[in-house]
Amino acid sequence: MDIVLQQLVNGLTLGSVYGLIAIGYTMVYGIIGMINFAHGDVYMVSAYITAIAIALLTFFGIESFPIIIIGTLFLTVAVTGAYGWVIERIAYRPLRNSSRLSVLISAIGMSLILQNYVQLSQGANQQGVPTLLTGAIRFSVGDGFVQITYMKLMILLISLLGMGILTYVIQKTKLGRMCRATQQDRKMASILGIDTDKVISTVFVIGAMMAALAGVLITLDYGAFDFYVGFIIGIKAFTAAVLGGIGSLPGAMLGGLILGLSEALFAGLISSDYKDVFSFSLLVLILIIRPSGLLGKPEVEKV
């Protein structure tokens, strides 16, 4: 029983991070109907920015843990958001009215550019950050115990807070209404006076900021990263977005949690060697039953 509960804790933590990154995929797809395949590499860039931010704050003599965490979050989220804006302006906006294949090739090219840019500027060797938060909370369960580290608890709380704030922005604010209007009908939204180009750029920035939030949390937890780290987690987050229903914000969150929980439970109870096989098998099974994903809306063919 304690093993199951421990893996549930691990799965919720991992799933919340998948959900944060999946939000970027699903928001971009919901607005322009395209997949931003450079999104995983935006997460990778945020990992390096996290390390640079910690080094800068330490260099200036800041040793307080809360100040380091808050400062790192603000710096990383801001700089990574700027990367998202640049990616939209360079790789997507010039091809807005081109074929889907052109945009796809452009996105893949941007992904390769980011990987090589980081490899050349920061080196190909694995990088790391020091452990800033230690300790854990333990709960007795029968003859064993369940443990959640303070770092994982912080990941879970900040992830849920980030998702909650974004949900409020999309559902209750003027920006959110413009985003939803652009998603439903871009031409009509433009006719009604909404600057759809600005909305699309904002969506890219928001997606990059969510990936940056995940990048800070995972980097602080695992401590190690390299220029290729964005590929695997990007594929996992994209899987989460498809699982929950690409284009659905709650679906991205739900898909991330389901993927994280399934991976953790399978790894802890059966075998960690085949956890990815199980996760993708679960995706295939769900898509067979619900091709649009768990919370996705079936596409209606326009006549």
Side-chain angles (χ1 to χ4, degrees):
M1 185 63 180
D2 56 321
I3 296 177
V4 174
L5 290 176
Q6 183 65 64
Q7 293 308 114
L8 283 174
V9 170
N10 296 338
L12 284 172
T13 307
L14 182 62
S16 63
V17 173
Y18 285 158
L20 284 175
I21 305 174
I23 285 171
Y25 284 108
T26 205
M27 287 189 71
V28 170
Y29 182 86
I31 290 291
I32 64 174
M34 300 290 180
I35 301 299
N36 179 16
F37 281 107
H39 191 60
D41 296 289
V42 171
Y43 160 85
M44 176 269 297
V45 168
S46 74
Y48 281 88
I49 297 173
T50 298
I52 294 171
I54 292 174
L56 284 173
L57 292 172
T58 305
F59 175 78
F60 286 110
I62 298 175
E63 298 181 355
S64 172
F65 174 76
I67 296 177
I68 290 177
I69 290 297
I70 294 172
T72 300
L73 279 171
F74 274 103
L75 284 171
T76 305
V77 167
V79 175
T80 308
Y83 271 90
W85 182 83
V86 170
I87 288 172
E88 192 275 333
R89 293 300 295 263
I90 294 177
Y92 279 88
R93 183 171 295 190
L95 301 174
R96 186 71 48 80
N97 298 316
S98 300
S99 66
R100 287 176 176 264
L101 182 60
S102 300
V103 180
L104 174 64
I105 293 172
S106 179
I108 294 173
M110 180 56 67
S111 173
L112 294 174
I113 288 171
L114 287 175
Q115 285 184 24
N116 285 275
Y117 157 67
V118 171
Q119 182 183 8
L120 292 173
S121 62
Q122 302 296 324
N125 294 329
Q126 191 175 67
Q127 308 289 333
V129 297
T131 302
L132 299 179
L133 183 61
T134 58
I137 302 173
R138 289 188 176 187
F139 303 95
S140 296
V141 179
D143 296 331
F145 63 88
V146 175
Q147 172 178 290
I148 177 168
T149 64
Y150 292 138
M151 190 67 234
K152 280 187 168 54
L153 185 60
M154 187 178 78
I155 290 174
L156 194 57
L157 292 176
I158 293 179
S159 298
L160 292 176
L161 180 62
M163 291 178 181
I165 291 173
L166 180 61
T167 301
Y168 175 80
V169 169
I170 296 299
Q171 296 296 329
K172 302 294 184 180
T173 66
K174 181 180 178 181
L175 173 62
R177 289 192 293 272
M178 290 192 296
C179 288
R180 286 184 279 123
T182 303
Q183 178 180 1
Q184 291 174 8
D185 193 325
R186 196 194 313 169
K187 290 183 178 180
M188 182 58 68
S190 181
I191 292 172
L192 294 175
I194 296 175
D195 188 345
T196 55
D197 284 337
K198 185 177 180 180
V199 170
I200 292 170
S201 294
T202 304
V203 165
F204 270 84
V205 171
I206 292 174
M209 292 169 72
M210 291 295 104
L213 191 59
V216 172
L217 297 175
I218 288 295
T219 302
L220 291 176
D221 188 29
Y222 286 89
F225 53 91
D226 57 30
F227 71 95
Y228 202 63
V229 71
F231 176 76
I232 297 299
I233 199 166
I235 292 294
K236 297 287 187 68
F238 175 63
T239 302
V242 174
L243 182 64
I246 192 77
S248 168
L249 193 61
M253 302 173 188
L254 177 63
L257 291 174
I258 291 175
L259 187 64
L261 286 169
S262 63
E263 276 192 17
L265 288 172
F266 191 87
L269 301 178
I270 301 177
S271 172
S272 61
D273 294 333
Y274 300 100
K275 61 183 176 65
D276 291 341
V277 175
F278 175 75
S279 299
F280 286 107
S281 298
L282 180 64
L283 171 67
V284 172
L285 179 62
I286 290 176
L287 290 181
I288 289 174
I289 300 172
R290 286 188 60 84
S292 58
L294 293 173
L295 299 182
K297 296 179 181 179
E299 291 190 5
V300 178
E301 186 176 349
K302 297 180 181 180
V303 179

